[in-house]
Amino acid sequence: MPDSRAVARWLKQHMPEFAGSLELKKIMGGQSNPTFQLTTQSGRFVLRRKPSGQLLKSAHAVEREFRVQKALAGSDVPVARMRVLCEDDKVIGSAFYVMDHVAGRSFDNPSLAGMSCAARTRVYDEMNRVLAAIHSVDIDAVGLADFGPKGNYFERQIARWIKQYRASETESLPDMDELMDWLAANTPADDGRRTLVHGDFRIDNMLFDPHREEVLAMLDWELSTIGHPFADLGSVIMQWQMPQGKEGRGLAGVDRVALGIPSDEAFIAAYCRRMGLPGIDRFGFYLAFCFFRMGAIIQGVMKRAMDGNAADPDRAMRLGTFVPRFARAGLEATRHG
């Protein structure tokens, strides 16, 4: 827990909207950057900081989270209002930023229990709209052209996450080894698509209006960069193939037609219509990549738990049991698309 007095002292100097004392309360559930609710005399805010302990290179970049969300203010991409960024590690032990608290609904269960079929359909269409909006951002106009290097995004990402995975590896997984080799050998040539990508686009990273099927804020921009839009689309389909429940948060085995939830094909087709695309070739590659990257991410989460640095250690260890499943699902995607 950050030192609330240290945070208050810094905010008094750097955030004009801040007044009085503050109360800090940890927001549970996240496994990336620890998140806290700030209750003050001038309103409620949210603080995001880096985890404590030794971190993998380039991971948990709250500075990038702050920058991208600040750049998107006023765009078609819904984000919380950014207030201040502190890059001085001496204040609370790591960099942090403060943003407005958004009072909205979050959905951990993608089957949206308790909703009508029509409402579920609207939620998923809104999710599709936001995804297309992210990929339609004019990165030059909002000052994000340098937010990611040029060149083959997937080639760069595969190399990065292989390195990250090896750095946090705790056991030998032949399926993951095979998947990494396949991805490296089957990376498509660069097709010139270069957009803002969220990096972890899921329904549980969205806050919806309490009364309407409208996204108020897209959260958790830790993995955002300039890259290839199909990685985000593949991330959605990957998540839906996971098992139901608190940990998997997927739609495996769900009768989507009965619930008003679009099929994979329908969601991809709606995205293509919004983006003016005739379709997507070799979607199996993008799906396999997303399974691999998420497997590497949760491997890192589990390693942090083993090292005593996880935001929610018990859940981190439970999530870690999914790494072999992500590896097998990635291989399946390479074979069947």
Side-chain angles (χ1 to χ4, degrees), residues 23-80:
E23 178 185 342
L24 275 172
K25 180 181 178 182
K26 187 169 185 180
I27 298 174
M28 301 301 292
Q31 287 297 333
S32 51
N33 293 320
T35 306
F36 304 85
Q37 181 177 292
L38 275 62
T39 302
T40 75
Q41 293 178 12
S42 49
R44 285 198 295 175
F45 304 93
V46 171
L47 182 149
R48 290 263 288 176
R49 63 166 295 177
K50 294 184 180 183
S52 58
Q54 185 175 357
L55 304 177
L56 295 174
K57 184 180 178 181
S58 77
H60 308 284
V62 295
E63 304 89 345
R64 288 176 61 84
E65 282 191 353
F66 182 85
R67 179 187 172 188
V68 67
Q69 290 173 95
K70 191 172 181 64
L72 292 172
S75 74
D76 289 337
V77 181
V79 290

Side-chain angles (χ1 to χ4, degrees), residues 3 48 93 114 121 147 172 174 203 226 264-265:
D3 184 337
R48 290 263 288 176
T121 300
F147 197 59
S172 176
I203 199 166
I226 302 302
D264 295 349
E265 294 78 9

Side-chain angles (χ1 to χ4, degrees), residues 45-171:
F45 304 93
V46 171
L47 182 149
R48 290 263 288 176
R49 63 166 295 177
K50 294 184 180 183
S52 58
Q54 185 175 357
L55 304 177
L56 295 174
K57 184 180 178 181
S58 77
H60 308 284
V62 295
E63 304 89 345
R64 288 176 61 84
E65 282 191 353
F66 182 85
R67 179 187 172 188
V68 67
Q69 290 173 95
K70 191 172 181 64
L72 292 172
S75 74
D76 289 337
V77 181
V79 290
R81 180 182 177 185
M82 297 295 105
R83 295 291 183 166
V84 286
L85 169 68
C86 176
E87 298 180 90
D88 184 356
D89 290 351
K90 294 189 293 292
V91 177
I92 63 169
S94 72
F96 68 90
Y97 69 88
V98 174
M99 61 184 173
D100 280 2
H101 176 269
V102 177
R105 294 182 292 172
S106 61
F107 301 117
D108 285 347
N109 183 347
S111 64
L112 306 179
M115 276 192 174
S116 68
C117 288
R120 289 191 191 95
T121 300
R122 290 193 296 269
V123 164
Y124 277 100
D125 189 62
E126 173 70 351
M127 184 179 180
N128 194 283
R129 182 198 69 79
V130 172
L131 181 61
I134 291 172
H135 299 160
S136 299
V137 168
D138 185 331
I139 57 176
D140 293 305
V142 300
L144 291 175
D146 65 342
F147 197 59
K150 296 181 180 179
N152 192 312
Y153 170 77
F154 290 106
E155 191 175 84
R156 187 171 75 244
Q157 284 281 301
I158 290 166
R160 172 192 173 185
W161 286 106
I162 287 176
K163 185 176 181 180
Q164 300 279 55
Y165 176 78
R166 293 301 188 197
S168 58
E169 192 173 14
T170 54
E171 63 176 318

Side-chain angles (χ1 to χ4, degrees), residues 270-298:
Y271 171 86
C272 288
R273 285 194 297 272
R274 282 190 162 102
M275 297 298 293
L277 300 172
I280 299 175
D281 293 328
R282 292 191 61 193
F283 191 77
F285 170 85
Y286 308 113
L287 185 57
F289 163 77
C290 290
F291 275 118
F292 156 65
R293 183 177 62 179
M294 187 54 66
I297 289 170
I298 33 185

